[in-house]
Amino acid sequence: MRKSIATVSVSGTLPEKLEAIAAAGFDGVEIFENDLLACPLSPEEIRARAADLGLGIDLYQPFRDFEAVPAELLARNLRRAERKFQVMERLGADLLLVCSNVSPAAIGDDELAAEQLGLLAERAAEHGVRVAYEALAWGRHVNEYLHAWRVVRMAGHANLGTCLDSFHILSRGSDPIGIEAVPGEKIFFLQLADAPLLAMDVLQWSRHYRCFPGQGNFDLAGLTASVLRTGYAGPLSLEVFNDVFRQASAERTALDGMRSLIALEQRLGSAARPAVSAGPGAPPAPAAPAAPPAPTGFAFVELADGGELGEVLSVLGFARAGTHPTKPVELWAQGGARLLLNATGTEPALIAIGLDGPDPAGAARHAESLLAPVLPRERAPEEVKLEAVAAPDGTEIFFCDDAWLADFAPAEPVPDPESVPEPVPRPVPRLVTGVDHVALAQPWHYFDEAALFYRSVLGLRPQESLELPDPYGLLRSRAMSNDDGSVRMVLNLAQVGSAGIAWQHVALACADVVAAARRLRSEHPRLLLPIPDNYYDDLEARHEVDPELRRLGVLYDRDEHGEFLHCYTVTVGRVFFELVQRVGGYQGYGAGNAPIRLAVQHAEGHRTSG
Amino acid sequence: MRKSIATVSVSGTLPEKLEAIAAAGFDGVEIFENDLLACPLSPEEIRARAADLGLGIDLYQPFRDFEAVPAELLARNLRRAERKFQVMERLGADLLLVCSNVSPAAIGDDELAAEQLGLLAERAAEHGVRVAYEALAWGRHVNEYLHAWRVVRMAGHANLGTCLDSFHILSRGSDPIGIEAVPGEKIFFLQLADAPLLAMDVLQWSRHYRCFPGQGNFDLAGLTASVLRTGYAGPLSLEVFNDVFRQASAERTALDGMRSLIALEQRLGSAARPAVSAGPGAPPAPAAPAAPPAPTGFAFVELADGGELGEVLSVLGFARAGTHPTKPVELWAQGGARLLLNATGTEPALIAIGLDGPDPAGAARHAESLLAPVLPRERAPEEVKLEAVAAPDGTEIFFCDDAWLADFAPAEPVPDPESVPEPVPRPVPRLVTGVDHVALAQPWHYFDEAALFYRSVLGLRPQESLELPDPYGLLRSRAMSNDDGSVRMVLNLAQVGSAGIAWQHVALACADVVAAARRLRSEHPRLLLPIPDNYYDDLEARHEVDPELRRLGVLYDRDEHGEFLHCYTVTVGRVFFELVQRVGGYQGYGAGNAPIRLAVQHAEGHRTSG
């Protein structure tokens, strides 16, 4: 389907916006009037610029406070419209968005509204322009999409149709299935925006917190399917007002928007084909590749290493299980957990995630269809091919089956005396059974983009965003997982002073965290993060818990499904480890304990393990 | 009165918070439980730390979801309370805040609530603790302060009183005058927070947007006056949850909070003394210095100058009217506008504002009483003493009468050939009549602090905050003025990518902006900012305006009182000038045109004048 985006959705001057939008592969744009007004280029020059970039001007918007007004005001409004038609002719735009009137001067009279909109459509026709009338969620009298359609039908003018905007429909809780009552040829335009569910004034919600389809909580696929069932053949167009997008790179935002439309199309292709023919005007449903199954587990987690991590992994019970034949990468394993240490010499950081799945090549093609940058792999001829893409924050995502393990030769029995200055500590057997989750720190303007990436590319299901207090700010945190919980990720965004924090961590699943902590506390007393006694005074006031938790510094949480026991190592570089034990069907991540952990981490600074 | 603040109101670890709070001069603190839980110090150590700093622990908070529950849950809640009483004994805190129950387990039965709170108070008494019961605005059954008082009275226990929180009262629109129905000795605590008027869920509003008294829209003085009329003798305590304060410097936030309480006390001292004696327990109303009258006009605006500004001022019709005998400062004057150019050699920037007023010394003492940093003035013996303080962003504020002008000797007739490479352009007479307003760019975490500073120190009245779109973000803007509009200031906060913008400007009042622009456009075509034709296409569609505005690049706005004509110079360093003409009683600042100006400024970059 044709894909458009409103210029207000991305940052920059109008020419900058157009370039970013074209580069992301859009077919057309909605010109947001304020972007035009502030632009030194004439409408003719903008038209030429867009044409050079291969962009159609699909809509000019918005025209406000027109209909259902007293006669004297109508005359002024028609004069105002006449000027806009002239601008549109110069721009080469033939569709004008008219928002339902919000002014106190508007009269609650549908017949009057229809009559005046008909008059406007008649004038528009003289300029070759059509008018799309849209119900704003906060319109004074017309604020429901079916009401706008009723007025349009009453007017009965060929040049008057309706514009549907998913935000205005879904933010009011209206059921989009009623869209199927509108003939497709009378839906002149479809604007798509998602949004997180927020309990706030709908105008503020709309103006600051819209996001791309798949980033929020609305069912955009359901709504769009209803629109397509009518035979609607116009563009899918993004119209997003978002405070973060306003400040972020236009190129990046435009690409993110394109990804959201491709993902939407893919969902529609597999789930929302019209059950019956939608009539002679209906286009065929788009053919979209079926998404491969979600990943089935963590194949590995790769950490950059400056030489400090091997000892920590040894202490945690990992053993060196192999080395890469051509790269400075070691495989460390324990239970089902496999960690790769990449001797980059830099500060420890989480740099890559390997995901198991039945069809790695299919998963990579799917990622590529969603505009994920495919990473080149320089490899020796004998090495296994690994497909990888870059996540928004630069983390490399590998799609694996078991073949990759063959790359790793068994570990050399003699440790390198340079990298391990002391004898390797006695391994602690069977502490860890696998990787429970990884937590990634996101740059502030990638948070929604990352959620959409992991949702669309990996098929993970995002949970609600949480806000967790940190001593120096707030941490936004959003967990995502596949259906059986075998792949869990947590995206963190620190709004913490100007410094920010960029800690990442690997949470390792344990069968018995208390036993693990007992051993680690006694043998390596400085490895685990100390937890304040005051935390346990409160914990014991709320729950009956094993008094040993206090002695060991093991934290505790519970939900309606079960219990969660966990403890943390100190931070090494940007990385720390968590040991976690899920009892029963506990689904969370101990978010209530995160503020305690953050405060201790700040207090400890970047103390390395001992 | 005793002044307290909740530890949640400032950033940092608990010891850092206590230090900042003590440094700002508070008498006591409310210990917010989460701050304690995350702290490695024992309650005894925290008690000692606070005592060393001269801080009392006035309240321990919050204890949640206690009252009006089934018997089995009551037993668990009492056990939980018992643990908290033990912590409080160790802390040396004798007052516990209990918030009204928000849990679905709570029963809507006041008698049950009263009975169980009585039981809690009885247990508390055994530990020397008193209980202050507060209605949360989102409490399940009890969410009005008078309802909480009804329950407290019903319980009839000496150790049970009520806690009043201005946010919970005013956010619901409850009338605070009902407070006077509560005996002062049953008001155990008073928490103060202001907030901007926001149409959002009250819980989110409370948790993210509270601010200090005087920074928002609530009538804190009226509420506090009602509380004092009851004979309440406890502390005024700030409890503010604010996303910006969480990230800002604790020292700075604490000082800002203290300023807000001093300003509140000053308002109460002059306006809210009890009309009748409030009873034997009532303390005398606080003696506070009466605020001097607000400033009556701009004495001068001082600009740092690297040598570029003199020519711009000449072109704008200013003449050099004097030089300072000992400092590299020139006085430039035109009509009632006086600008000082301070040859610092740095990039042009607005560095100081002089304000006229009948009592400069009194104004300075008033500013000092509000913790404004007094600036040292090194001066020669013959120079006039000028009182000055620093505003939050570092701008120097001088309190003046006309004596300062005597410092400036008449200008030398011969211009310095070094600083003025070309002949000084022929002055354009009588363009400017005075200074209309100055606009200052604020660092992001000083915005509310600056509003309180100018409101309390200068007596300016803030208007609503506006959000204006910039091509690369949003600009928050808040205007403030004295009653007759002779002193107007605009505070701008740019949330614009990571770069930020820090443009400041001086708006000069003109009798005829069109005539001024006509002359400037013809004689100095590159001085005034070009305004896009597209702007005028829209302007002329909306209003009947002089077609010459388009040719001259003069912008236009109107409100219900009158009209506004204005144009801008290009930016020189961090500074530009605006020429403004108010027709009729226009009260605004042309905010609707600011996005146009910002877009052009970004496009022009930092082009210097020609």
Side-chain angles (χ1 to χ4, degrees), chain B residues 546-566:
Chain B
D546 181 353
E548 200 182 0
L549 299 189
R550 180 194 293 259
R551 197 172 60 75
L552 296 174
V554 170
L555 298 109
Y556 176 88
D557 190 29
R558 64 183 310 157
D559 65 12
E560 67 270 37
H561 306 293
E563 295 176 299
F564 190 59
L565 295 146
H566 57 143

Side-chain angles (χ1 to χ4, degrees), chain A residues 12 16 36-37 39 41 43 79 84 90 199 201 208 243 246-247 467 471-474 495 532 534 538 540, chain B residues 12 16 36-37 39 41 43 79 84 199 201 208 243 246-247 467 471-474 495 532 534 537-538 540:
Chain A
E16 289 170 349
L36 174 73
L37 302 192
C39 180
L41 300 184
R79 176 175 161 277
K84 299 301 171 188
R90 297 169 63 197
D201 174 65
H208 299 283
D243 287 355
R246 280 185 188 280
Q247 300 173 57
E467 282 184 327
Y472 304 100
L474 283 177
Q495 297 170 309
N534 300 322
D538 177 64
E540 292 169 6
Chain B
E16 287 169 350
L36 175 73
L37 302 192
C39 180
L41 300 183
R79 177 176 160 276
K84 299 299 172 189
D201 174 67
H208 299 282
D243 287 355
R246 280 184 188 281
Q247 300 173 58
E467 281 184 328
Y472 305 100
L474 284 176
Q495 297 171 311
N534 300 323
D537 290 343
D538 177 64
E540 292 169 6

Side-chain angles (χ1 to χ4, degrees), chain A residues 109-406:
Chain A
D109 177 340
D110 288 352
E111 284 186 30
L112 186 67
E115 182 191 317
Q116 296 183 349
L117 284 168
L119 208 52
L120 181 69
E122 189 58 34
R123 301 284 179 93
E126 294 163 13
H127 296 269
V129 165
R130 297 182 308 148
V131 171
Y133 179 59
E134 172 187 84
L136 291 180
W138 52 90
R140 190 158 178 93
H141 300 291
V142 176
N143 41 46
E144 288 277 359
Y145 76 95
L146 288 172
H147 192 172
W149 161 233
R150 181 146 36 91
V151 170
V152 165
R153 184 164 67 181
M154 201 179 287
H157 195 289
N159 280 48
L160 181 68
T162 189
C163 173
L164 298 173
D165 180 310
S166 63
F167 182 87
H168 292 295
I169 296 170
L170 299 173
S171 66
R172 292 185 60 94
S174 305
D175 195 319
I177 204 165
I179 291 169
E180 298 176 31
V182 188
E185 69 274 12
K186 294 306 277 185
I187 302 176
F188 281 7
F189 210 72
L190 172 62
Q191 293 178 315
L192 295 173
D194 201 345
L197 295 179
L198 297 172
M200 58 163 47
D201 174 65
V202 69
L203 179 61
Q204 291 304 313
W205 189 17
S206 171
R207 294 222 171 134
H208 299 283
Y209 297 97
R210 290 184 180 212
C211 53
F212 291 133
Q215 295 179 341
N217 297 104
F218 290 158
D219 177 13
L220 273 292
L223 180 140
T224 309
S226 282
V227 174
L228 295 183
R229 282 198 190 91
T230 68
Y232 172 74
L236 303 180
S237 190
L238 299 167
E239 191 206 23
V240 169
F241 304 83
N242 179 295
D243 287 355
V244 173
F245 296 177
R246 280 185 188 280
Q247 300 173 57
S249 141
E251 288 70 25
R252 190 155 190 136
T253 305
L255 212 63
D256 192 27
M258 177 53 77
R259 177 180 299 133
S260 78
L261 287 183
I262 295 170
L264 180 66
E265 248 183 0
Q266 290 178 350
R267 289 195 60 188
L268 289 168
S270 59
R273 286 170 202 281
V276 292
S277 166
T296 56
F298 287 103
F300 62 81
V301 177
E302 184 170 355
L303 302 157
D305 183 22
E308 305 95 321
L309 288 176
E311 193 184 339
V312 175
L313 293 187
S314 291
V315 167
L316 289 174
F318 281 81
R320 241 189 317 189
T323 54
H324 197 275
T326 58
K327 302 200 188 73
V329 179
E330 291 180 344
L331 167 65
W332 290 70
Q334 181 179 192
R338 298 188 204 93
L339 304 180
L340 301 183
L341 296 192
N342 189 329
T344 57
T346 64
E347 182 183 58
L350 200 162
I351 55 174
I353 295 168
L355 294 170
D356 284 322
D359 178 11
R365 279 196 308 276
H366 175 65
E368 204 175 346
S369 78
L370 286 157
L371 311 179
V374 175
L375 295 172
R377 283 291 281 174
E378 309 91 20
R379 53 183 195 284
E382 72 277 14
E383 285 176 54
V384 175
K385 189 181 170 204
L386 270 182
E387 310 271 3
V389 296
D393 67 352
T395 303
E396 300 183 355
I397 307 293
F398 287 84
F399 300 102
C400 311
D401 49 27
D402 283 342
W404 69 276
L405 272 169

Side-chain angles (χ1 to χ4, degrees), chain A residues 591-602:
Chain A
N593 296 329
I596 305 292
R597 189 250 301 166
L598 288 162
V600 177
Q601 284 177 319
H602 280 291

Side-chain angles (χ1 to χ4, degrees), chain B residues 1 228 264-266 268-270 272-274 283-289:
Chain B
M1 298 187 66
L228 296 183
L264 179 67
E265 246 182 3
Q266 290 177 351
L268 288 168
S270 59
R273 286 171 202 281

Side-chain angles (χ1 to χ4, degrees), chain A residues 532-547:
Chain A
D533 257 335
N534 300 322
Y535 167 78
Y536 293 97
D537 290 344
D538 177 64
L539 180 65
E540 292 169 6
R542 292 185 290 118
H543 301 293
E544 308 231 6
V545 293
D546 180 353

Side-chain angles (χ1 to χ4, degrees), chain B residues 35-71:
Chain B
D35 288 327
L36 175 73
L37 302 192
C39 180
L41 300 183
S42 69
E44 291 83 356
E45 288 168 320
I46 293 163
R47 173 188 200 156
R49 188 73 63 100
D52 287 350
L53 292 164
L55 292 173
I57 297 181
D58 292 342
L59 185 76
Y60 184 73
Q61 65 121 322
F63 190 67
R64 297 188 190 278
D65 296 338
F66 171 79
E67 81 286 8
V69 295

